[in-house]
Amino acid sequence: MDLTIDRSSQMDRSLRDGARRELREAAVRPMLQKPGPGYRLLVVALGAVVALGLVAFVDQCVKGLSVDDYSNAAFWDVNISNFITIVGVAYGGAVISAVLRLTGAGWRAPLTRIAEGVSVVAVLVGGACIIPSLGRPERIWEFFTRPNFSSPLIWDALAIATYGFASVVFFYLPLIPDLVVAKQTMGDRAGRLRTALWRALSRGWEGSPAQHRLLGRMTGFLAILIIPLAVTVHSVLGWAFAITSFRPWWSEELWAPLFVIAALYSGIALVILSLAALRHTYHLQNYITDRHFKLLGFILAPFGATYLYMSVADFLPGAYHGEPGTAAVFRQLFVGAYAPWFWIFVVGGIIVPLLIIALPQTRRVGWIVFAAALILPTFWLNRVLMVIVPATYDMMNATFGVYSWTWVNASITAGAMAAVPLLILLLFRFVPILSVTEIEQLEAEQLETEQLKAARLEAVQLEIAQLEAVQLDGSEGRVPLGALQEEVR
Amino acid sequence: MSRYFPRGPRSLCYRALELALVVAAPLLAVGLCSSPAAFASSPMIGMTQESSSVTGVTHSASTAATAPSVLTLSVAARPHDPTDLTLVSHLQSSSDNGGKSVAFFVVSTQFKQPEDVPIGTAKTAADGTASVSYKPTWSGKEQFVAKLTSPGAQVPAATAYYRVTASTPGPLYAAANPARPLSFIGHIFLGVVLTIVALIWLGLIIMLVAAVGWMPRLAGGGIGRRDK
Amino acid sequence: MDGNEPENEMAGGEAEKDAAPSFSVPAPSTPSLASLGGGQNPPNGEDRRQAVESGAAAKPRPISRRKLLEAIGAVGIGVGLGFRVLEDPSAASPARQRAAAPRSTKDPLPQWTMIFDLRYCDGCKACTAACQSAHYLPKDTEWIKVYTLTSADGGTYHLPKPCMMCEDPPCQAVCPVGATFRTDEGMVLIDQNVCIGCRTCMAACPYESRYLNTSPMPEVPRQPFPTSPEWPVPQVVDTVGKCIWCAARLPSGMLPECATSCQMGVIYIGDLTTDVAVNGQGNVITISEFLRDNDAVRLKEELGTNPRVYYIPGHGQDLSGWA
């Protein structure tokens, strides 16, 4: 018996070594491969859009908000919608990494690096998106020198800063062993910049049990911490509308949970989209499998359904009562000037993705990615409606102003949207795209479990054989054969 | 002064200083004069009556053709309540003194022009006296006016001065600045939230420091020395 | 040494033009100064002129000791008392000055209020025009805005609406940098050197009383007073501004621009502490009685902002809770 296990473990070990090599090579593939023409073109194009956004922002700084065709009837602009959207999609990382880690879902392992990376990038870009909406952005330091703590915007600043910091740390900690692995795998091909960076970031990591224990504990604690932080961030963002103002549709108690659910929903959508894009570009199909997309779709669906329910709960009481202000705003949304955009959002952003995941025929990678691609722009549209429609409502004479689009705010929006994929592409040229250590750890645990099960199986089979031998002898021993056979099965 | 002007009083710096001082002094004096802090704003500076009324200072010079009617006014505080004043006007005329209506005013200079603020009307009793009570809303030397408002009256108004020592603000003042007994809750809540945020930041910083600083010391006994 | 001189000269002054002043002067090193100081030379005009002429720098015009003493005396008085003005940094802010020196040390601070007697408003918008002209505002920034609304019986009425100077201002609560503040006299003001232009206060104000300044801003001639929250002229571009009840004028008893320009006497400005209000046409009222007798209301009372502006309806229109 021992000999058999030994031989199989030898075979297993060589198989495992081969698999491990493959895994590591896949993890550093974005860095090993020379960037192809498609990649370069994409980076240049995205960079150009980001540069255009920056130029537009500088133009606005020089000339003031008048370049946005600002009018007092539409006092809040699309930059706030961008801010909410991009900070919202940072939630995907929190869900995938933290929640799935706490629930012990091992299938998350190949996804965590990409999800956390997208999350960090989104928080940083999203936080920056609020700057173009200020009339005097050079005075932003006053948030720290003279904050007014009764203002939801200060709560916002605190929450996003804390969540951003926690995201960065949560991204960094599991990265430490992976950087050592990457250095090992790539050797000299890593180049001087990367080697120096990795050495600085992963100083002293040797993989000792004590180090693993410490890292595991810190990551576990952070996973627990980051969930309430994430919930707080978007609740506070919802309160920046609900508490700040008496305006119809904004001053609703439901907005904090509504924002959180929308963020979770759109965050998972962005993760799905990023996984699909990166999987295709770097041929990671072995690790990011179709099953992953189905499971992510199964996570997406309940959030979508919850958002649908919350939207109905949001609109129904106001529409039923028909208070003048609320009725006016809802009329604009449902049948008025903004109706096409609103219904595109409802159908394209909630109903269609739900159907795609619900129907088995469409529960496939391509369709799920298409659903994610629908969700992201429609939820941006939703945030634009949420910010602009009540802002253009005049609370004294019940009329609506008009929000005007100019090249400045369109460019800044495009630049912000392009910055997220650009930074993701660039990020994975510096860090491994798969969390190798985590994958190997989880595989080792799985293997251990399987080995234990195999050992138990062998012991039971031995007992059955012995009992059968006893039975053939005709002895009177009562044999719980059935139970043992059940156990074998 | 000589040690500052070794070359004598007609040196250039001396003349310059003299010019500057002579020019600056009147400017400072002018600036001083225009400061409202230097002068009291009340036009009634110089009125020295401390306690109760002065009677019978008439406003206008005109008098009736026959025996002149005289209206007088006196102001006094209630015995134990200096915030409550009683204004008593007395009408002396050749005709019937009773049943005439008298309007009482206090003169306010809060809005630049002296304005008569109505504080009540009363009808004269048979002996010609009419009175109203008034709780003054500001303190200081105040001018009170009584006017006969009966039709056909040609009686000049009566004025009295009174130094109000205790005033009560108007009826709407209390609601204008309500007490907020529960405001401490906001402070406590804020303190708790900020403490939690500070602890979170501290925890994150400690984790970073541990990852970079402490982790290397836990090396040894691992899978083998890795290539750094 | 210099510090001693003014005091002594104040006491002495012009009466002692020829006497020996008691300020200490070192032994005269030049005959010219000796003639002005010390008691060492005879106060003889002839001698003095000779001494001066024989001085080191022979200037054509002598300076007399009297003139010097006068100058030093005036400087001393001016400097000594002028510090009382110059050292007070709040000299530029009338509201703070008023708070520092109230009418009487016993009286509470004034609590400003405004009353609009809508029975007389004809919608001429003279108030809006006067305000825009006095503060050099752009055409579409109407700090006091006149609405034309339909009353229940189908007629129209006009509603001028300034800043409500709420006692619980939502704008103050939500400003992230505390640029909007409320004074002890009830005035809600904006420090435009702090404002970051985020427009959250504009979202919060249920009365739509706040406006963002965008370029181009009107040309503003040089102002006689420095810019302050009480006299926010010129307005800072890309920050938020609003009606401030001409806070710079109130402490000295002057009426806001809208009140003085209203020919119909609609706009009253008053003090809840003294219970006195006046309008631009010289009417004076007792606030509590006026409001009670005329069924005054406040706008959007149900929101709990506790505005300081009262409206006398007078046409039967329902001013509560519309829009």
Side-chain angles (χ1 to χ4, degrees), chain B:
Chain B
M1 290 268 281
S2 62
R3 63 169 176 255
Y4 295 101
F5 301 98
R7 276 180 289 161
R10 278 178 285 292
S11 67
L12 191 61
C13 40
Y14 180 95
R15 300 260 311 250
L17 175 66
E18 182 209 23
L19 191 66
L21 291 177
V22 169
V23 166
L27 283 180
L28 282 169
V30 166
L32 168 63
C33 287
S34 64
S35 157
F39 297 103
S41 55
S42 162
M44 292 191 282
I45 279 182
M47 301 296 180
T48 51
Q49 286 288 347
E50 283 297 317
S51 58
S52 59
S53 56
V54 167
T55 59
V57 179
T58 56
H59 254 232
S60 67
S62 66
T63 52
T66 52
S69 306
V70 172
L71 187 67
T72 59
L73 175 63
S74 71
V75 184
R78 277 189 191 271
H80 297 290
D81 187 3
T83 63
D84 202 352
L85 304 181
T86 310
L87 283 73
V88 180
S89 74
H90 188 76
L91 176 65
Q92 276 172 314
S93 72
S94 48
S95 52
D96 182 21
N97 281 339
K100 304 278 196 288
S101 82
V102 180
F104 295 85
F105 303 88
V106 62
V107 177
S108 161
T109 51
Q110 185 170 15
F111 297 103
K112 280 204 120 177
Q113 318 298 336
E115 305 275 8
D116 291 346
V117 183
I119 55 178
T121 57
K123 281 227 174 344
T124 53
D127 61 351
T129 57
S131 74
V132 293
S133 69
Y134 171 61
K135 284 175 119 54
T137 52
W138 69 93
S139 51
K141 189 88 175 187
E142 291 179 27
Q143 179 183 2
F144 294 89
V145 175
K147 292 184 190 166
L148 204 59
T149 55
S150 293
Q154 287 292 327
V155 183
T159 307
Y161 295 93
Y162 183 76
R163 178 172 289 279
V164 176
T165 53
S167 64
T168 46
L172 294 172
Y173 176 81
N177 287 312
R180 290 169 205 282
L182 294 179
S183 62
F184 72 92
I185 294 179
H187 297 294
I188 292 177
F189 181 66
L190 182 66
V192 166
V193 167
L194 288 180
T195 310
I196 293 174
V197 171
L199 287 174
I200 293 175
W201 277 79
L202 202 62
L204 290 171
I205 292 171
I206 288 174
M207 274 194 261
L208 263 186
V209 167
V212 176
W214 192 26
M215 196 94 83
R217 296 181 212 210
L218 298 176
I223 307 166
R225 281 194 68 83
R226 294 269 189 218
D227 203 0
K228 287 209 180 56

Side-chain angles (χ1 to χ4, degrees), chain A residues 170-224:
Chain A
F170 194 47
F171 182 68
Y172 170 58
L173 286 179
L175 194 61
I176 297 175
D178 282 352
L179 291 179
V180 173
V181 165
K183 177 72 181 68
Q184 271 189 314
T185 314
M186 289 186 68
D188 289 329
R189 293 171 293 174
R192 269 186 319 183
L193 175 62
R194 281 198 274 255
T195 314
L197 187 67
W198 294 347
R199 191 172 303 165
L201 290 177
S202 66
R203 241 165 24 95
W205 176 263
E206 283 180 7
S208 68
Q211 285 180 335
H212 271 292
R213 253 202 318 271
L214 176 65
L215 196 66
R217 281 215 201 100
M218 289 204 292
T219 316
F221 175 70
L222 205 44
I224 300 176

Side-chain angles (χ1 to χ4, degrees), chain A residues 75 133 139 142 151 395-396, chain C residues 173-174 177 194-195 199 208 322:
Chain A
F75 56 82
S133 90
R139 293 182 186 168
E142 288 175 359
S151 167
M395 293 201 26
M396 286 297 286
Chain C
V174 301
V177 293
V194 173
C195 174
R199 285 112 56 211
E208 305 277 3
W322 48 271

Side-chain angles (χ1 to χ4, degrees), chain C residues 148-276:
Chain C
T148 303
L149 304 160
T150 318
S151 59
D153 60 351
T156 54
Y157 67 98
H158 307 280
L159 186 84
K161 177 222 61 177
C163 168
M164 294 286 156
M165 296 294 180
C166 306
E167 289 162 12
D168 288 302
C171 55
Q172 181 198 24
V174 301
C175 177
V177 293
T180 295
F181 61 97
R182 183 168 187 266
T183 68
D184 290 333
E185 297 178 5
M187 306 296 287
V188 180
L189 302 172
I190 305 174
D191 189 347
Q192 292 188 327
N193 289 324
V194 173
C195 174
I196 59 172
C198 69
R199 285 112 56 211
T200 309
C201 54
M202 292 179 69
C205 179
Y207 304 103
E208 305 277 3
S209 293
R210 302 175 73 105
Y211 297 84
L212 183 80
N213 302 309
T214 49
S215 52
M217 297 289 289
E219 188 83 19
V220 179
R222 194 181 164 79
Q223 293 295 302
F225 308 105
T227 308
S228 66
E230 293 85 359
W231 185 249
V233 181
Q235 285 275 296
V236 177
V237 73
D238 290 325
T239 61
V240 171
K242 70 173 182 73
C243 160
I244 31 87
W245 286 11
C246 293
R249 301 180 173 203
L250 292 175
S252 43
M254 289 166 59
L255 269 56
E257 197 66 36
C258 49
T260 44
S261 67
C262 181
Q263 300 301 309
M264 305 294 286
V266 171
I267 307 179
Y268 288 83
I269 191 85
D271 176 3
L272 292 175
T273 310
T274 59
D275 215 21
V276 173

